[in-house]
Amino acid sequence: MRALLCVALITATLPAFADNASVYKPRVQANGLKDIKSAGTQHGMLGAAYANTLTTGNEIQAGLLLNGRYFAGDRWYLLGEFQYGEFNSEDLSDGDTLVIEEGEDALRYAFGAGYSVLQGNASTSGQYAVPWSIAAELAVGEQTTGDTSGQYTSLGLSVQFHGPKVWTAVGARQFVISDERLEQVGADRGMQWDISLGMWF
């Protein structure tokens, strides 16, 4: 008798379960992205910079700096640079001997890596946020000054602001050049600071 009562109760409630099953039909929401592969990806940055270089025993000289950064991870990136500018506007001598005549040009290229030490977002209005990062950079290359050249090594910091289409950065570094002619006049080391503007690729 009890078994018949249970069967009758289950039979009476089956239509209710069937109705509920037809009402509740969950499905995966795409949120407007039909294909995640179509989302844009930024591989790196290309830019140009105005640079000021100050070497020991020499005046500040301006130059044009072209740079590129390729992302190698969440915080790491590869760095490539090419710079051209005037090296000295006056004669540089070692005592009474003229070593470097005025108006010589300096051309250098360097490759290295950068690591974002700090990352964050800057906002002044509370409505728009601009991502920023402070990165340490190490670069090694070669600089040609007049008729001589030497190995170029630099270590510095770069403060970068990342917009949706463009980016800008301010950098400062110390460098050493293993050029015997520059060593004679003490102009084989110094500092450089630059302002960069570029685009993503």
Side-chain angles (χ1 to χ4, degrees), residues 20 33 38 47-48 61 64 69 80 82 87 94 98 103 105 110 122 142 154 165 169 178:
N20 291 336
L33 291 177
S38 64
Q61 302 296 334
L64 175 64
R69 295 171 172 87
F82 177 82
F87 181 76
D94 179 15
L98 178 63
D105 294 331
E142 185 173 359
S154 69
K165 294 184 179 180
S178 61

Side-chain angles (χ1 to χ4, degrees), residues 67-84:
N67 52 44
R69 295 171 172 87
Y70 185 83
F71 302 137
D74 183 37
R75 291 177 176 266
W76 287 96
Y77 58 83
L78 302 178
L79 174 67
E81 295 181 334
F82 177 82
Q83 181 176 340
Y84 177 79

Side-chain angles (χ1 to χ4, degrees), residues 58-198:
N58 194 10
E59 296 181 351
I60 297 176
Q61 302 296 334
L64 175 64
L65 174 65
L66 302 178
N67 52 44
R69 295 171 172 87
Y70 185 83
F71 302 137
D74 183 37
R75 291 177 176 266
W76 287 96
Y77 58 83
L78 302 178
L79 174 67
E81 295 181 334
F82 177 82
Q83 181 176 340
Y84 177 79
E86 190 177 53
F87 181 76
N88 61 315
S89 55
E90 296 182 353
D91 294 337
L92 300 179
S93 60
D94 179 15
D96 297 330
T97 305
L98 178 63
V99 179
I100 302 176
E101 296 181 356
E102 64 174 319
E104 288 197 5
D105 294 331
L107 184 147
R108 77 163 176 88
Y109 64 89
F111 300 97
Y115 179 77
S116 295
V117 181
L118 294 173
Q119 295 177 334
N121 290 306
S123 177
T124 55
S125 62
Q127 297 179 354
Y128 302 100
V130 178
W132 59 266
S133 64
I134 299 177
E137 296 180 343
L138 174 66
V140 178
E142 185 173 359
Q143 175 169 312
T144 301
T145 308
D147 298 329
T148 61
S149 63
Q151 179 178 311
Y152 172 93
T153 306
S154 69
L155 178 63
L157 287 176
S158 174
V159 182
Q160 305 164 12
F161 297 93
H162 301 168
K165 294 184 179 180
V166 299
W167 63 272
T168 183
V170 178
R173 70 185 70 187
Q174 287 189 318
F175 63 86
V176 178
I177 307 168
S178 61
D179 188 326
E180 294 183 358
R181 193 165 66 111
L182 301 185
E183 292 177 4
Q184 287 182 315
V185 293
D188 60 326
R189 61 188 63 235
M191 289 194 64
Q192 182 183 78
W193 53 95
D194 57 76
I195 300 176
S196 301
L197 181 65

